[in-house]
Amino acid sequence: MTQLIYSLAVMAQVTAAFPWVANMPGVDSSLLGRRPAPMKRQSDQATCPFNTNHQGAAPYSSKYPYTGAQNGLAGTQKGGILVPAKGDTAHAFTAPGANDIRGPCPGLNAAANHNFLSHDGITTFVELVDAQQNLYNVGYDLAVSLATLGVALDGDVITEKLSIGCDATSRTSATGDLLGDELGLNGHNKFEGDTSLTRDDYYLTGDDHSFNGTLFGYMDATCHGTFNRAGLALYRSQRYAQSKAENGNFYYGPKSLLLYGAASFLYELFPSLGPAGTPDLATIASFFGAVADGHGGWAHVPEQIPPNWYNRVSAYTNLDVGTEILAQYLAYPVLFGGNAGLGNFDALGAFGGAISGGKLTGNAAAVKCLLYQFATEDVPSSLSGVLALPVEVVAWAAGKLGPVFAGSGCPVVG
């Protein structure tokens, strides 16, 4: 696992972004000015773990139904349920083995470690929809939206399979790599992007999926041990400033709004009972697999659900996440765009009904509609191009999203 120890003295802008870092022990000033050369995204299929004993997610039962979501259908959307339930050994924590895939999303890693997703990390659309509802009480509409985005952008719409981490094309695709590599959630500027809470920018280290304990420490210091909206909105702005200052290939496109959505999970989904609970350090560290290393830093262990943990009481919906994305962004507005070399930032123009003049201008409903557009339209993925979705992918995504966006006020594919 690559563990990059950033020096926040690299640039004045970064020091300004994290003003408290000057007093942190262990900062190596000899790192000043060092930057890896940019690299092209390459498939990591050759080194991707391969578990020959693939088993699907542990089944749900009448004794342990959780929210009752099965077969990709809506559950009760009523939470406040102990997870794992007492006696449900099928969903007890099981650490991943050397041949199991894990990736950049702590919530999905934890789900796989508790067998709500396939333990080897090769999951399916149906597993994703069911697991989000049963484990976290994500609303059916948002569960379908996120599963659709994951499979459409990083997986295979024929098999409906997805790697939650590295490129496992030989296992996710029906045709092997004949139609191209399926990079999994590690794929850069698809679902994953720059300015992650605890992962490096891809073009800085070549590793955008491994836990970075230094970044986790920065997040904790910014949030003062309580990972609420105010603290995470500030930290997101700091990560933006840091990436913009350090990464000559920094890109912050429309899909970067998903990063605000992911940040909202820390206070809307991860606390016991959701927003009725407290997003404290012990809870967040458990979901991120962060443990104190004894030297003032953070090391990584497999992610797991905290003990005596209850899922969110009310379902977390598309509109809810749109509201949180907007609130975090408006607390510290930044420009969408990217670097064409350090110090040479170009802003994007308009996209959808929510981004104009390089800034987010729409309301929560417009932000919600972007979730649909990200999976059904060509979206800028760099300063010089767009991620052009094949018509088969657009048709598949529109078919999945159409029912949950019907009557939403969002323009949908006919």
Side-chain angles (χ1 to χ4, degrees), residues 79-81 135-137 227 264-280 283-284 287 309-316:
I81 300 166
L135 172 50
Y136 297 111
N137 198 20
F227 299 79
S264 78
F265 297 167
L266 275 67
Y267 56 87
E268 293 287 347
L269 297 181
F270 287 176
S272 186
L273 298 174
T278 303
D280 56 26
T283 298
I284 302 306
F287 275 111
W309 183 87
Y310 291 76
N311 63 14
R312 179 186 168 97
V313 176
S314 61
Y316 194 50

Side-chain angles (χ1 to χ4, degrees), residues 43 45 166-174 176-178 180-183:
S43 168
Q45 185 174 178
C166 50
D167 182 343
T169 301
S170 64
R171 287 158 281 167
T172 57
S173 173
D177 59 3
L178 181 64
D181 293 324
E182 296 168 359
L183 298 178

Side-chain angles (χ1 to χ4, degrees), residues 98-191:
N99 294 326
D100 295 322
I101 296 170
R102 296 296 181 264
C105 177
L108 294 186
N109 291 343
N113 291 340
H114 285 267
N115 301 303
F116 283 93
L117 298 176
S118 297
H119 197 262
D120 68 351
I122 303 296
T123 190
T124 67
F125 174 83
V126 168
E127 282 188 2
L128 288 164
V129 172
D130 293 349
Q132 290 177 80
Q133 296 181 83
N134 288 323
L135 172 50
Y136 297 111
N137 198 20
V138 170
Y140 181 64
D141 60 346
L142 181 55
V144 170
S145 297
L146 295 176
T148 300
L149 280 166
V151 173
L153 299 179
D154 291 315
D156 190 286
V157 299
I158 298 174
T159 64
E160 298 192 348
K161 291 180 180 180
L162 169 71
S163 164
I164 66 172
C166 50
D167 182 343
T169 301
S170 64
R171 287 158 281 167
T172 57
S173 173
T175 58
D177 59 3
L178 181 64
L179 300 178
D181 293 324
E182 296 168 359
L183 298 178
L185 290 182
N186 291 359
H188 183 56
N189 276 346
K190 290 188 170 187
F191 210 116

Side-chain angles (χ1 to χ4, degrees), residues 51-118:
N51 189 334
T52 57
N53 184 30
H54 171 79
Q55 297 181 8
Y60 306 103
S61 67
S62 58
K63 187 175 181 180
Y64 306 116
Y66 297 98
T67 69
Q70 293 192 61
N71 303 317
L73 301 175
T76 64
Q77 304 196 73
K78 295 179 181 179
I81 300 166
L82 179 66
V83 184
K86 291 182 179 179
D88 183 10
T89 57
H91 290 105
F93 171 75
T94 305
N99 294 326
D100 295 322
I101 296 170
R102 296 296 181 264
C105 177
L108 294 186
N109 291 343
N113 291 340
H114 285 267
N115 301 303
F116 283 93
L117 298 176
S118 297

Side-chain angles (χ1 to χ4, degrees), residues 56-412:
Y60 306 103
S61 67
S62 58
K63 187 175 181 180
Y64 306 116
Y66 297 98
T67 69
Q70 293 192 61
N71 303 317
L73 301 175
T76 64
Q77 304 196 73
K78 295 179 181 179
I81 300 166
L82 179 66
V83 184
K86 291 182 179 179
D88 183 10
T89 57
H91 290 105
F93 171 75
T94 305
N99 294 326
D100 295 322
I101 296 170
R102 296 296 181 264
C105 177
L108 294 186
N109 291 343
N113 291 340
H114 285 267
N115 301 303
F116 283 93
L117 298 176
S118 297
H119 197 262
D120 68 351
I122 303 296
T123 190
T124 67
F125 174 83
V126 168
E127 282 188 2
L128 288 164
V129 172
D130 293 349
Q132 290 177 80
Q133 296 181 83
N134 288 323
L135 172 50
Y136 297 111
N137 198 20
V138 170
Y140 181 64
D141 60 346
L142 181 55
V144 170
S145 297
L146 295 176
T148 300
L149 280 166
V151 173
L153 299 179
D154 291 315
D156 190 286
V157 299
I158 298 174
T159 64
E160 298 192 348
K161 291 180 180 180
L162 169 71
S163 164
I164 66 172
C166 50
D167 182 343
T169 301
S170 64
R171 287 158 281 167
T172 57
S173 173
T175 58
D177 59 3
L178 181 64
L179 300 178
D181 293 324
E182 296 168 359
L183 298 178
L185 290 182
N186 291 359
H188 183 56
N189 276 346
K190 290 188 170 187
F191 210 116
E192 177 279 330
D194 293 335
T195 77
S196 165
L197 297 178
T198 61
R199 270 64 176 173
D200 296 333
D201 289 3
Y202 176 76
Y203 283 104
L204 288 177
T205 66
D207 182 352
D208 55 7
H209 55 276
S210 297
F211 173 83
N212 184 322
T214 302
L215 291 179
F216 185 87
Y218 296 163
M219 179 170 69
D220 178 39
T222 297
C223 294
H224 304 290
T226 301
F227 299 79
N228 56 22
R229 180 202 285 171
L232 285 161
L234 174 59
Y235 182 62
R236 286 235 32 81
S237 71
Q238 292 171 343
R239 287 290 290 127
Y240 176 96
Q242 182 183 20
S243 291
K244 184 180 177 183
E246 292 183 356
N247 182 357
N249 291 279
F250 167 66
Y251 182 69
Y252 205 76
K255 289 200 300 294
S256 296
L257 289 172
L258 295 172
L259 297 168
Y260 293 95
S264 78
F265 297 167
L266 275 67
Y267 56 87
E268 293 287 347
L269 297 181
F270 287 176
S272 186
L273 298 174
T278 303
D280 56 26
L281 177 59
T283 298
I284 302 306
S286 183
F287 275 111
F288 275 78
V291 292
D293 65 6
H295 303 284
W298 295 91
H300 185 252
V301 296
E303 301 86 343
Q304 62 180 302
I305 301 167
N308 196 36
W309 183 87
Y310 291 76
N311 63 14
R312 179 186 168 97
V313 176
S314 61
Y316 194 50
T317 67
N318 277 335
L319 184 58
D320 291 331
V321 77
T323 299
E324 291 305 318
I325 289 170
L326 185 65
Q328 287 184 50
Y329 177 86
L330 291 180
Y332 302 93
V334 295
L335 285 172
F336 293 91
N339 284 341
L342 290 174
N344 187 21
F345 181 85
D346 289 335
L348 291 178
F351 177 81
I355 297 175
S356 178
K359 290 190 175 182
L360 184 61
T361 57
N363 57 22
V367 173
K368 175 191 70 175
C369 293
L370 288 177
L371 296 176
Y372 182 91
Q373 292 175 280
F374 290 160
T376 59
E377 294 184 13
D378 294 344
V379 180
S381 59
S382 69
L383 288 177
S384 59
V386 299
L387 177 63
L389 297 173
V391 292
E392 295 84 359
V393 171
V394 172
W396 178 85
K400 295 293 187 184
L401 295 176
V404 298
F405 277 88
S408 65
C410 300
V412 299

